[in-house]
């Protein structure tokens, strides 16, 4: 027996573990993991649960939801807003989440340019007239690389407790596999897509002939879109109303990148400074033990460099050093730390991002710390 399926009675009272809706969402998550789409739209997104799950997929940069019922979308849409942690540690990718109020029977330019469009348990809610327009809107107009459509498989219904006609009172129809597949194949043929059929919710042992509880068609566009085909005959007038928009903090945004780099530079410089000071303290102690031997080693690095000599050492060396009460940490050393390096990419960018935000030596080659107050505190 399938692991996701629990048969409570032989008579066919079935229960899915995890619940069927979760299995449908997991199917989409797996597909996202496989194809790594950047822009994903969920049509008939209802309370935005799938969108909320998808916001954690790091390949996605644009998420959009559409539903004809604004109130159901608004119920839990706050879950799509950035959290304090997103601001404290902005992600490397950018992410914008938008919710639109409107119908899949209408075209709106905000739905252009998506890589993946999901329609989970949507089509069976459409009136005949809406279902007729749906293929032209989704496949003809939106024309994403991949479309996923899921809908109940009516052949499974006799196994579901309490289902008389349809699984939900708002369903306008429920198709068996042959009906769904002939509609899907005709749609795919007309709009140059290929389609493969699968599903979630396995039937109980011995009843495999009914097929999956939820049937799924995965449509893949056969030819890449040219910029001409993407634009031709596409209306530019909006038909949907935007009800929610969240732009997540991202390191792609110079403002957040600068904050991250400045904190990382200060943090790294503090670590280097601490280890330098510890080393000097150790040398100092050794010097006191045997003043004749250690004197030369200690003197140049602590308190005795003239301003000019200090500058020269910074220029010539990657070594941090102390001059009087000031510790110099060369930027080249800081840049060699992997996190700083990854954040900035180039040394020039590091310079640019910290300019005016971090105290640098007069030639701009080293981060400076004054140890005076620190010593007082200690
Ligand atoms: N995809 C969700 C919800 C399925 S219920 C899930 O898997 O749980 C179907 C949703 O489609 C409802 O929220 C309903 O309001 C919406 N819907 C119905 N007709 C629609 C239309 N013409 N355009 C857009 N959404 C529609």
């Amino acid at each position: 027996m399938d692991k996701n399926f629990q048969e409570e009675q032989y008579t066919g009272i079935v229960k899915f573990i995890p619940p069927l809706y979760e299995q449908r969402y997991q199917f989409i998550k797996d597909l996202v993991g496989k194809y790594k789409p950047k822009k994903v739209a969920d049509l008939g997104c209802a309370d935005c649960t799938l969108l909320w799950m998808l916001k954690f997929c790091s390949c996605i940069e644009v998420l959009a939801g559409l539903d004809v019922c604004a109130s159901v979308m608004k119920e839990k849409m706050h879950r799509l807003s950035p959290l304090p942690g997103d601001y404290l540690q902005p992600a490397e990718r950018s992410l914008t989440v938008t919710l639109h109020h409107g119908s899949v029977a209408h075209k709106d330019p905000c739905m252009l340019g998506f890589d993946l469009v999901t329609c989970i348990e949507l089509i069976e809610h459409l009136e005949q007239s809406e279902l007729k327009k749906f293929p032209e809107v989704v496949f003809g107009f939106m024309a994403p690389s991949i479309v996923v459509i899921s809908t109940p498989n009516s052949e499974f219904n006799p196994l579901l407790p309490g289902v008389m006609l349809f699984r939900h009172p708002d369903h306008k129809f429920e198709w068996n596999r042959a009906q769904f597949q002939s509609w899907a194949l005709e749609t795919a043929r007309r709009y140059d897509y290929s389609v493969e059929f699968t599903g979630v919710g396995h039937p109980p042992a011995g009843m495999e002939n009914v097929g999956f509880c939820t049937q799924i068609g995965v449509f893949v566009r056969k030819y890449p879109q040219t910029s001409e085909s993407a634009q031709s005959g596409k209306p530019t007038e909006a038909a949907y109303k935007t009800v929610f928009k969240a732009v997540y903090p991202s390191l792609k945004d110079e403002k957040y990148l600068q904050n991250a780099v400045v904190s990382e530079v200060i943090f790294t410089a503090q670590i280097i400074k601490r280890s330098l000071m510890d080393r000097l303290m150790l040398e100092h102690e050794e010097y006191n033990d045997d003043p004749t031997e250690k004197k030369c080693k200690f003197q140049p690095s602590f308190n005795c460099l003239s301003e000019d000599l200090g500058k020269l050492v910074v220029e010539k060396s990657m070594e941090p050093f102390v001059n009087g009460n000031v510790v110099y940490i060369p930027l080249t050393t800081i840049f060699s730390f992997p996190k700083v390096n990854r954040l900035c990419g180039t040394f020039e960018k590091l310079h640019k991002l910290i300019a005016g935000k971090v105290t640098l030596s007069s030639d701009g080659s080293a981060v400076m710390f004054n140890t005076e107050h620190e010593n007082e505190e200690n």
Side-chain angles (χ1 to χ4, degrees), residues 40 42 45-57 60-67 70 72-84 86-87 93 95-100 243-249:
V40 180
D42 186 29
C45 62
D47 68 358
C48 310
T49 304
L50 177 59
L51 291 170
W52 174 79
M53 282 174 74
L54 292 178
K55 83 169 190 158
F56 299 101
C57 299
I60 298 177
E61 295 180 359
V62 175
L63 264 180
L66 172 72
D67 206 288
V72 70
M73 264 194 300
K74 287 178 180 173
E75 249 171 53
K76 296 181 187 165
M77 70 182 180
H78 59 271
R79 288 187 299 174
L80 299 173
S81 299
L83 297 167
D86 293 314
Y87 289 97
R93 58 132 177 204
L95 175 63
T96 304
V97 185
T98 318
L99 296 179
H100 306 281
V243 294
F244 175 90
K245 184 167 180 175
V247 179
Y248 278 64

Side-chain angles (χ1 to χ4, degrees), residues 274-288 298 302 375:
R274 180 68 14 234
S275 98
L276 173 71
M277 298 305 276
D278 288 349
R279 187 162 54 83
L280 292 176
M281 287 307 283
L282 207 69
E283 284 180 11
H284 188 55
E285 279 160 21
E286 283 173 15
Y287 164 79
N288 283 342
F298 180 59
F302 200 55
N375 290 339

Side-chain angles (χ1 to χ4, degrees), residues 21-169:
Y21 78 93
E22 270 184 32
Q23 293 190 39
R24 288 191 286 262
Y25 295 162
Q26 189 57 46
F27 180 87
I28 301 298
K29 274 191 88 177
D30 292 346
L31 207 77
V32 166
K34 184 174 169 193
Y35 290 102
K36 307 259 182 293
K38 280 190 175 172
K39 300 182 174 190
V40 180
D42 186 29
L43 312 183
C45 62
D47 68 358
C48 310
T49 304
L50 177 59
L51 291 170
W52 174 79
M53 282 174 74
L54 292 178
K55 83 169 190 158
F56 299 101
C57 299
S58 58
C59 61
I60 298 177
E61 295 180 359
V62 175
L63 264 180
L66 172 72
D67 206 288
V68 79
C69 179
S71 58
V72 70
M73 264 194 300
K74 287 178 180 173
E75 249 171 53
K76 296 181 187 165
M77 70 182 180
H78 59 271
R79 288 187 299 174
L80 299 173
S81 299
L83 297 167
D86 293 314
Y87 289 97
L88 288 171
Q89 212 161 19
E92 290 195 13
R93 58 132 177 204
S94 60
L95 175 63
T96 304
V97 185
T98 318
L99 296 179
H100 306 281
H101 176 216
S103 169
V104 288
H106 300 131
K107 299 173 181 176
D108 185 305
C110 74
M111 282 292 158
L112 293 175
F114 283 85
D115 304 308
L116 169 65
V117 166
T118 56
C119 310
I120 306 303
E121 307 298 274
L122 165 71
I123 58 170
E124 65 276 10
H125 290 266
L126 302 180
E127 300 284 356
Q128 200 60 42
S129 59
E130 294 174 312
L131 184 68
K132 239 179 128 199
K133 290 179 187 153
F134 174 85
E136 173 51 26
V137 175
V138 175
F139 295 90
F141 174 71
M142 297 182 192
S145 312
I146 304 173
V147 180
V148 182
I149 297 181
S150 87
T151 192
N153 165 20
S154 63
E155 291 164 82
F156 201 102
N157 286 359
L159 300 181
L160 297 173
V163 172
M164 301 307 284
L165 179 62
F166 295 143
R167 295 182 195 176
H168 190 279

Side-chain angles (χ1 to χ4, degrees), residues 312-324:
L312 196 70
V313 175
V314 174
E315 277 164 11
K316 296 272 178 252
S317 148
M318 271 186 52
E319 289 294 312
F321 72 99
V322 182
N323 178 18

